[in-house]
Short mmCIF file of all heavy atoms in Angstrom, two decimals:
data_model
loop_
_atom_site.label_atom_id
_atom_site.label_comp_id
_atom_site.label_asym_id
_atom_site.label_seq_id
_atom_site.Cartn_x
_atom_site.Cartn_y
_atom_site.Cartn_z
N TYR A 54 103.00 120.83 86.47
CA TYR A 54 104.07 120.78 87.48
C TYR A 54 103.89 121.88 88.51
O TYR A 54 104.13 121.70 89.70
CB TYR A 54 105.45 120.91 86.82
CG TYR A 54 105.88 119.66 86.10
CD1 TYR A 54 106.05 119.66 84.72
CD2 TYR A 54 106.12 118.49 86.80
CE1 TYR A 54 106.43 118.51 84.06
CE2 TYR A 54 106.50 117.33 86.14
CZ TYR A 54 106.65 117.34 84.77
OH TYR A 54 107.03 116.22 84.12
N TYR A 63 105.34 119.54 99.98
CA TYR A 63 104.75 119.17 101.26
C TYR A 63 105.06 117.72 101.61
O TYR A 63 105.52 117.42 102.71
CB TYR A 63 103.23 119.37 101.24
CG TYR A 63 102.60 118.88 102.52
CD1 TYR A 63 102.73 119.62 103.70
CD2 TYR A 63 101.94 117.67 102.57
CE1 TYR A 63 102.21 119.15 104.88
CE2 TYR A 63 101.41 117.19 103.76
CZ TYR A 63 101.55 117.94 104.91
OH TYR A 63 101.05 117.46 106.09
N HIS A 142 60.86 102.68 104.97
CA HIS A 142 60.47 104.08 105.12
C HIS A 142 61.71 104.96 104.96
O HIS A 142 62.61 104.92 105.79
CB HIS A 142 59.84 104.32 106.49
CG HIS A 142 58.55 103.58 106.65
ND1 HIS A 142 58.50 102.29 107.11
CD2 HIS A 142 57.27 103.94 106.40
CE1 HIS A 142 57.24 101.88 107.13
NE2 HIS A 142 56.47 102.87 106.71
N ASN A 149 67.98 107.51 110.90
CA ASN A 149 68.86 106.53 111.52
C ASN A 149 70.29 106.67 111.04
O ASN A 149 71.23 106.64 111.83
CB ASN A 149 68.35 105.13 111.17
CG ASN A 149 67.86 104.42 112.40
OD1 ASN A 149 68.63 104.18 113.31
ND2 ASN A 149 66.58 104.12 112.43
N SER A 151 71.73 109.35 109.79
CA SER A 151 72.32 110.58 110.31
C SER A 151 72.81 110.39 111.73
O SER A 151 73.88 110.86 112.10
CB SER A 151 71.30 111.72 110.31
OG SER A 151 70.73 111.85 109.05
N SER A 160 85.81 113.82 118.47
CA SER A 160 87.21 113.53 118.76
C SER A 160 87.30 112.44 119.82
O SER A 160 86.35 112.19 120.56
CB SER A 160 87.90 114.78 119.28
OG SER A 160 87.39 115.11 120.55
N LYS A 181 76.43 105.88 139.64
CA LYS A 181 75.36 106.57 140.37
C LYS A 181 74.17 105.64 140.54
O LYS A 181 73.58 105.56 141.62
CB LYS A 181 74.90 107.81 139.59
CG LYS A 181 75.89 108.95 139.61
CD LYS A 181 75.34 110.10 138.80
CE LYS A 181 76.38 111.20 138.67
NZ LYS A 181 75.88 112.34 137.94
N TYR B 37 63.00 97.49 113.00
CA TYR B 37 62.88 98.90 113.33
C TYR B 37 63.22 99.14 114.79
O TYR B 37 63.89 100.12 115.14
CB TYR B 37 61.47 99.42 113.04
CG TYR B 37 61.21 99.71 111.58
CD1 TYR B 37 61.53 98.79 110.61
CD2 TYR B 37 60.64 100.92 111.18
CE1 TYR B 37 61.30 99.05 109.27
CE2 TYR B 37 60.40 101.18 109.84
CZ TYR B 37 60.73 100.24 108.89
OH TYR B 37 60.52 100.51 107.57
N SER B 44 70.34 103.55 117.55
CA SER B 44 70.38 105.01 117.42
C SER B 44 70.26 105.68 118.79
O SER B 44 70.95 106.67 119.07
CB SER B 44 69.26 105.50 116.53
OG SER B 44 69.50 105.11 115.21
N PRO B 67 74.38 115.27 142.27
CA PRO B 67 75.32 114.35 141.62
C PRO B 67 74.73 112.96 141.35
O PRO B 67 74.95 112.40 140.29
CB PRO B 67 76.47 114.26 142.61
CG PRO B 67 76.41 115.50 143.40
CD PRO B 67 74.96 115.87 143.47
N PRO B 126 105.73 113.22 82.64
CA PRO B 126 106.98 112.64 83.15
C PRO B 126 107.11 112.87 84.65
O PRO B 126 106.87 113.97 85.13
CB PRO B 126 108.06 113.41 82.37
CG PRO B 126 107.36 113.95 81.18
CD PRO B 126 105.95 114.22 81.60
N TRP B 166 100.71 122.18 109.60
CA TRP B 166 101.50 121.42 108.62
C TRP B 166 101.38 119.92 108.85
O TRP B 166 101.23 119.15 107.91
CB TRP B 166 102.98 121.84 108.65
CG TRP B 166 103.21 123.23 108.18
CD1 TRP B 166 103.89 124.21 108.86
CD2 TRP B 166 102.78 123.83 106.95
NE1 TRP B 166 103.89 125.38 108.12
CE2 TRP B 166 103.21 125.17 106.95
CE3 TRP B 166 102.06 123.37 105.85
CZ2 TRP B 166 102.95 126.05 105.90
CZ3 TRP B 166 101.80 124.23 104.80
CH2 TRP B 166 102.25 125.56 104.83
N GLN B 247 90.90 120.59 122.45
CA GLN B 247 90.95 119.18 122.85
C GLN B 247 91.89 118.97 124.04
O GLN B 247 91.58 118.21 124.95
CB GLN B 247 91.39 118.30 121.67
CG GLN B 247 90.56 118.47 120.41
CD GLN B 247 89.12 118.02 120.56
OE1 GLN B 247 88.81 117.17 121.39
NE2 GLN B 247 88.22 118.60 119.78
N TYR B 292 77.16 119.66 110.68
CA TYR B 292 76.91 118.27 110.27
C TYR B 292 75.68 118.08 109.38
O TYR B 292 75.78 117.50 108.31
CB TYR B 292 76.84 117.41 111.53
CG TYR B 292 76.48 115.98 111.32
CD1 TYR B 292 77.43 115.08 110.82
CD2 TYR B 292 75.22 115.50 111.62
CE1 TYR B 292 77.10 113.76 110.64
CE2 TYR B 292 74.89 114.18 111.44
CZ TYR B 292 75.83 113.31 110.94
OH TYR B 292 75.51 112.01 110.76
#
Side-chain angles (χ1 to χ4, degrees):
Chain A
Y54 285 115
Y63 175 74
H142 295 87
N149 247 298
S151 307
S160 68
K181 288 179 186 182
Chain B
Y37 281 49
S44 290
W166 293 127
Q247 306 295 334
Y292 175 76

